[in-house]
Amino acid sequence: MLRRRLNRLLSGDERRVDSRTIYVGHRPCPATEAFIPPKFCDNRIVSSKYTVWNFLPKNLFEQFRRIANFYFLIIFLVQVIVDTPTSPVTSGLPLFFVITVTAIKQGYEDWLRHKADNEVNKYLVTVLEDGRRTRKESEKIKVGDVVEVEEDETFPCDLILLQSSRDDDTCFVTTASLDGESNHKTHYTVPDTEKDLESLNATIECEQPQPDLYKFVGRMHIYKNDQEPAVRSLGPENLLLKGATLKNTQKIFGVAVYTGMETKMALNYQGKSQKRSAVEKSINAFLLVYLCILVSKALVCTTLKYVWQSNPGQDEPWYNQKTQREKDTNLYLKMFTDFLSFMVLFNFIIPVSMYVTVEMQKFLGSFFIAWDKDFFDPEIQEGALVNTSDLNEELGQVEYVFTDKTGTLTQNNMEFIECCIDGFQYKYQDAASELDGFCVTDGPLSKLQQKAGREKEELFLRALCLCHTVQVKESTGQGDGLMNQVDGLELDGEVVRPEDQRGFIASSPDEVALVKGAMRYGFTFLGLESKNMKILNRNNDVEMYELLHVLNFDPVRRRMSVIVRTKSGDTLLFCKGADSSIFPRVRQDEVDRIRMHVERNATEGYRTLCVAYKKLTAEEYAQADTGLREARLALQDREEKLMAVYNQVETGMSLVGATAVEDRLQEEAAETMEALQGAGIKVWVLTGDKMETAKSTCYACRLFQRGTELLELTVRTLEEGGRKREERLHELLLDYHKKAVQDAAPVKAGVTRSWSTANQDYGFIIDGATLSMVLNSSPDANSGLYKSLFLQICQNCTAVLCCRMAPLQKAQIVKMVKNSKGGPITLSIGDGANDVSMILEAHVGIGIKGKEGRQAVRNSDYAIPKLKHLKKLLLAHGHLYYVRIAHLVQYFFYKNLCFILPQFLYQFFCGYSQQPLYDAAYLTMYNICFTSMPILAYSLLEQHIYMENLLDNATLYREIAKNAMLRWGPFLYWTLLGIFHGLLFFFGVRCLFSNPALQDNGQVFGNWSYGTIVFTVLVFTVTLKLALDTRHWTWINHFVIWGSLAFYVFFSFFWGGIIWPFLKQQRLYFVFANMLSSVSAWLVIILLILLSLLPDILLVVLRKPRGPHARQKPVESSTGGPQSPRSSARPLLMRTFSDESNTVI
């Protein structure tokens, strides 16, 4: 005690020691010692990002970290400070709009987080203080406070259970919001604590906060009247976690050990970071290229200007004398301001309005997901939800899907299917059809209606009724309210007696399924009273068994047992577990009779369990009882000592039979997984569940096929061979790497998995404990090598299963893959709060609106009612969103290059005087009005391939994988197209101007007429180019395309036809009308538009479509099945879609 106190005094930081000491009720122990209260963090939860004071500077800083935003800010400041050819409004207005809209959106999202935090922090709880029950806010709880929690309340912090209202000193909790398990778990009070907590003097010594939900090590010192303090060991069974809910227990008292951001739930919470899509990264890369082009143009023009002015008479002609101020200006300063002026003049090559259009496209496009009727679920009367519209296109680029199992792949609804007793198969049909409710369908000798002996049947059913940790809750007459808390007794077509209307509470749903299965055949478990288990047998007699010991299930043994004593004094051990765990411990002749049934059930995807029993002699029981009691009191190596006793007593058993339980899959789960794998997406299952259950689900979902070779890296495989775990881990990793990576056939480029049936498919299985060893290897081991080997093995497997995962481990797995070579796009999907960390970590997070709360939905980017909706979300919506935004980005750069290249060429003919080619109104309106709406409509409505075809042919998803449409090849194509069109516009019009007499009266056109003709050709060409690229025509497309062109003509007439009083100079007065009076101008405009679009027109007319049309709706083939249309890859990449001439209007 003195050493601990000195440590705290001298170091001042309790985090430096490996353990913390907590004084229960803040009372010094023993009472004679001086009490120095240790300092721990308070119980506030903070998930928000901003405060009122830091919102503006922090948000602006984050937004101006974007290259484009920072660039536009600089240009705006240059326009304000330097005398430039264009107004500051042209850059400032779009920038202000984008910054304001984004700030409002992010501010609102953070306000919601503040609101949620306040709900948790201001929640009133009951705390015992000086013998009084005090109500205080949750955030004011301190470590050491004794807290009272009532039924159906959530625990406000991590508590050690001191007292329960139940007679057996237990309580039941659900941890759905932590690990996704909706079943009831049993927790135990610390033995020998005072009934009156006010007189309890105790200290708790436990480990420092750490995120593993399934681990807790501590001990409690109880002081009584100058006696030697009693020491009681503490484990996870004594710890009640924040976020869990108390069930089937009136109230409990517990002492706070971890509070606030140190609770296990908070440590498993990943802060919500700003997610950026791959498209945005491509935009930034393209912006840098265009920025270089801009700077190059400005440098060329500035240099040539001063070269030209160095000629005699060019710098100061007689008609344009310099002022004294201009003569006194420093030459280098004048060159710099000229450079900035050219930068502003050519600034429109950087698409200012692209970010506004992209934001609008993402925001408006997200409504199509919310409006999709296929996503509507009649059960919950809800459809899809979009929380983050920034990532729509990312849905079309997913390479890895990380999915939860319980509640996501499965319904978490176990059902007893059949059983096998002494080699004979029993399948339940209807209890009324036979006296005992059994229907034998086949047997090892293929003799129908052959049964096992009645004695064997009853022994098997007694084992099902006794070998479990199920609790019974009597009906309280609340009707449906009970069904929400426990698994009700629902017997198919049977009348249940009123006294049997009770619910079952269990830590695992398959235990409830087995107890219900026994009920169907006449054996009913009535409950546990004072360590006595009661069974109602077929004859309606109540049998009593004294429960002596429960040998709990663990993933290494893969079995659990109970030791009971009958009324006649016999001691029996009943054991159930996985076949691989039970078979070596029973006689071989018994195994042969049952193995066939077990293997058949496993291949059908059922969860199989084998049941065995053993009659213990008095000596055997005495030895086992002593060993178990000693092991449970051990403070060190407790698990190893218990395991040794378990293995000793669970030998020489007799095999009675086996069961088959089905965990029903979500609707269309297998089809969805198959479609994702067909699209080249790798699926990883990350679950907190047991390995056997998860493996069965993977087979049922077709993630593992019958021919898949499973590579297992679990605690069980590490303990085989009797060597150190580290050595065995290294050996297995090298072995699996050789098998799955080195010896595997090379995978073709662009295909993420091998589809050849000649190659061996591998599946990988790892558990949480082994993953910790891989990721957090000891310093002397080569942890980097382990991680690298593990990742390479996983990436070469068709599917990966990670079981017994803590929430933070799920996030670690996602982060590891996300940061691997190539930066693959990851997606996480789950339905519980235990999935929140991986949902936040992945590029795209999807929540399922399931039964386990809405934490996953609140923290996700997208929420869908069922797993089956993921297929359409990715293969149809994701595909189309990516194609649309890729075209939008490439088209914006193209049309702005067409726009500004003639302006650059014009400088060579105007003495580099920074003379604009276009009028200021045209400069401002080009991106905002004349060309913005058609591309916005295209990016919202385009369907180059029908949705039905995208869903039928999952391989189409691979054509756009790895950001295919925003790579440097397509970008170069669009850039060269823009240069070609820009040169054609400028020099085509210049050819026209080589003839001086363009009007009937012999007058010549001026420079504004020249610019207006170029601008007219430009607007019509880029708009009609988009019309040629459009494959899915709607009335909106027609309206905005032809409407934009009509608006340009109307505006030009209107702008030049009126004398505007607020303009100092009106450059375009009657220029447009005058221009159109010339037949030559009309001819050149039409000719240049046709010449520019000629390549596209020829491609559409001449190229023969290859394969079935992508624009055709699915039609029945001669064989009766739907055809799978597929588009050509090249036009898709070049963004012309020219091979698909069957345009729908």
Side-chain angles (χ1 to χ4, degrees), residues 190-294:
V190 182
D192 303 329
T193 52
E194 299 282 348
K195 290 295 177 190
D196 178 15
L197 293 178
E198 278 308 305
S199 60
L200 176 66
N201 281 323
T203 59
I204 293 172
E205 194 173 352
C206 61
E207 61 189 356
Q208 291 295 1
Q210 52 101 352
D212 193 333
L213 295 176
Y214 310 108
K215 261 190 182 177
F216 177 73
V217 177
R219 56 187 172 193
M220 188 171 182
H221 300 261
I222 304 170
Y223 299 88
K224 292 182 182 176
N225 305 325
D226 301 327
Q227 296 177 11
E228 188 68 26
V231 181
R232 295 288 173 261
S233 61
L234 303 176
E237 69 276 5
N238 308 116
L239 185 69
L240 305 172
L241 300 176
K242 178 183 175 72
T245 306
L246 184 65
K247 292 287 183 184
N248 205 26
T249 310
Q250 286 182 3
K251 64 179 178 181
I252 61 99
F253 293 93
V255 58
V257 285
Y258 304 126
T259 52
M261 301 308 285
E262 291 183 341
T263 58
K264 288 184 182 287
M265 186 179 85
L267 292 173
N268 274 285
Y269 178 78
Q270 298 276 96
K272 195 162 190 178
S273 59
Q274 187 75 22
K275 292 183 179 180
R276 302 205 183 283
S277 70
V279 168
E280 194 171 323
K281 291 166 188 168
S282 296
I283 292 173
N284 288 340
F286 298 162
L287 273 176
L288 287 174
V289 173
Y290 271 67
L291 196 59
C292 292
I293 294 172
L294 172 64

Side-chain angles (χ1 to χ4, degrees), residues 1 4 37 137 148 198 226 273 327-328 363 390 494 579 722 735 744 847 858 899 924 947 960 995-996 1040 1076:
M1 293 289 281
R4 285 201 299 275
E137 292 171 348
E148 178 186 326
E198 278 308 305
D226 301 327
S273 59
K327 290 178 181 177
D328 295 341
F363 175 70
D390 293 343
E494 291 188 43
D579 53 311
D735 181 37
R858 282 200 296 269
F899 178 44
T924 309
M947 277 196 174
I960 58 163
N995 176 12
V1040 295
L1076 293 184

Side-chain angles (χ1 to χ4, degrees), residues 460-468 514-515 518-519 523-525 533 535:
F460 176 80
L461 293 170
R462 283 193 183 95
L464 292 189
C465 283
L466 294 171
C467 188
H468 55 70
L514 293 177
V515 172
M519 278 187 65
F523 273 73
T524 305
F525 175 61
M533 301 180 85
I535 293 176

